[in-house]
Amino acid sequence: MSSSQESVYSEYETDTSQTSKLLRKFKEMPFVPVGMAGFVGVVGYGLYKLKHRGNMKLSLHLIHMRVAAQGFVVGALTCGVLYSMFRDYAVKPKE
């Protein structure tokens, strides 16, 4: 193996705890946890509003909740992709 491959592997082997791996992933892709938190927030709000839905059918309420949660996640992922493209192409890193 070349020395560059060994340095990459040793970097990943030193981060053995789950917390350090999770923090490293959050730093690499910051919009994924935002999407996950938004999804949990929308679902929590939908469950709270489930008690006070009035005459709305349960199936219609669940469809609205699903669409809102999916929309938040897709929006967060789209922002993440745009941020990644901006970082890679617009702000040219020094090589």
Side-chain angles (χ1 to χ4, degrees), residues 6 17 19 25 36 46 62 66 76 87 92:
E6 290 174 2
S17 71
T19 307
K25 285 292 183 182
M36 291 168 50
L62 292 176
R66 179 186 62 88
R87 187 180 60 199
K92 300 194 186 238

Side-chain angles (χ1 to χ4, degrees), residues 31 34-40 67-79:
F31 287 96
V34 171
M36 291 168 50
F39 175 78
V40 169
V67 169
Q70 282 180 333
F72 195 91
V73 170
V74 168
L77 289 176
T78 302
C79 289

